[in-house]
Amino acid sequence: MHRYSQLRLGKKNLHLIASFLVVGCTQTVTGMDVPLPELETAISRGALPVAESLMGQEVAAPIAASISAENIDFEICGESPNWMRLPESDQRMQLREIPRYGAAIEEEPLKSLSQNFWFHEAISFTTYGLSARIEPIYFSGLWTIVDTFSNCYEGSRVEKINAGQMAEVWLISHRVDHIQWHGDRYIMNVQPTGNGVQLIQFPRQETQTSLPLTIVTEDGTEVAVLSGDWR
């Protein structure tokens, strides 16, 4: 059992997550409110030792993890509090209108890939590429509010993401309360909201390929995280 499965932050239980991989970019969008060229333009803008003779390993691990917890500053670079996903049938119809996808959106591998983004409420990134953001944006349904992304890639943000200095998380139907680093994993505590989206960026404490992130609500419910990185 992972040592964080026993740790509580207030009332928050911790769990593990899984990751997924995405693919390339799209061409022209037809039959949609946001043409792809406009979309692309908008986007571009240490624990103390505990003697085992005094307490068992199952007790020592959460105590050590709690001692080493470090608060992480974060920024909400984009937010739309009232946003909601389209009905799934409308989303599929829109994706079929994109020449890159067409009828192939109902076939593998695109069918599973698009559904993974559609049914996840948290997507993490450790890299940035304009083309590599297209699938996450469309498959998650966030293409309807693409302007929300504009501030997240201004100035030196892109360089920091690709240099491994900054991580990014898209949080859907939840809002972030705080983030902590526990030695080998980020713990993000969130509140369910039922709608809305937050784009969150924070400084990285590690150099892993996929972001080691656990997201939990106040009652200990895990929010599964999908990796949106294209490698």
Side-chain angles (χ1 to χ4, degrees), residues 75-87:
E75 179 182 358
I76 300 173
C77 61
E79 185 173 22
S80 181
N82 299 317
W83 177 80
M84 296 184 69
R85 279 176 166 143
L86 293 173

Side-chain angles (χ1 to χ4, degrees), residues 18-36:
S19 64
F20 200 84
L21 188 67
V22 305
V23 297
C25 64
T26 62
Q27 301 297 324
T28 304
V29 179
T30 60
M32 302 180 70
D33 294 334
V34 185
L36 186 54

Side-chain angles (χ1 to χ4, degrees), residues 29-91:
V29 179
T30 60
M32 302 180 70
D33 294 334
V34 185
L36 186 54
E38 295 181 19
L39 172 67
E40 293 177 341
T41 300
I43 298 174
S44 60
R45 288 186 308 209
L48 297 177
V50 180
E52 291 195 12
S53 60
L54 298 180
M55 59 179 66
Q57 184 176 358
E58 290 297 316
V59 176
I63 291 178
S66 179
I67 292 173
S68 65
E70 175 186 352
N71 289 326
I72 301 296
D73 291 333
F74 63 87
E75 179 182 358
I76 300 173
C77 61
E79 185 173 22
S80 181
N82 299 317
W83 177 80
M84 296 184 69
R85 279 176 166 143
L86 293 173
E88 187 179 2
S89 59
D90 292 348
Q91 168 76 357

Side-chain angles (χ1 to χ4, degrees), residues 5 12 16 25 46 62 73 86 94 98 102 107 112 129 145 151 165 183 211 220 222 225 227 231:
S5 64
K12 308 166 181 67
L16 295 176
C25 64
D73 291 333
L86 293 173
Q94 294 289 4
I98 301 176
E107 302 170 358
S112 292
I145 51 167
N151 292 333
Q165 300 172 4
L211 199 67
E222 176 188 1
V225 183
S227 173
R231 298 182 185 277

Side-chain angles (χ1 to χ4, degrees), residues 97-214:
E97 293 294 324
I98 301 176
R100 174 176 173 81
Y101 309 136
I105 200 66
E106 306 297 345
E107 302 170 358
E108 299 299 342
L110 288 181
K111 181 177 181 179
S112 292
L113 181 63
S114 63
Q115 287 181 341
N116 264 286
F117 280 101
W118 183 255
F119 288 110
H120 274 80
E121 296 183 327
I123 305 170
S124 68
F125 297 91
T126 60
T127 59
Y128 174 83
L130 178 59
S131 297
R133 281 294 193 274
I134 299 300
E135 262 70 37
I137 288 173
Y138 277 110
F139 291 169
S140 66
L142 289 172
W143 59 267
T144 58
I145 51 167
V146 68
D147 287 345
T148 301
F149 292 73
S150 59
N151 292 333
C152 294
Y153 309 117
E154 294 181 342
S156 62
R157 293 174 187 266
V158 169
E159 289 79 2
K160 288 181 178 179
I161 293 173
N162 286 330
Q165 300 172 4
M166 180 183 291
E168 183 171 306
V169 176
W170 300 355
L171 191 60
I172 297 171
S173 299
H174 294 79
R175 63 173 178 80
V176 61
D177 280 343
H178 61 272
I179 304 173
Q180 290 186 319
W181 173 247
H182 285 265
D184 65 355
R185 175 163 297 275
Y186 304 97
I187 307 299
M188 179 183 291
N189 294 100
V190 302
Q191 296 288 343
T193 58
N195 51 30
V197 60
Q198 290 183 329
L199 280 67
I200 301 156
Q201 293 177 340
F202 55 89
R204 294 182 64 183
Q205 311 297 307
E206 37 63 54
T207 58
Q208 297 187 38
T209 300
S210 230
L211 199 67
L213 173 66
T214 295

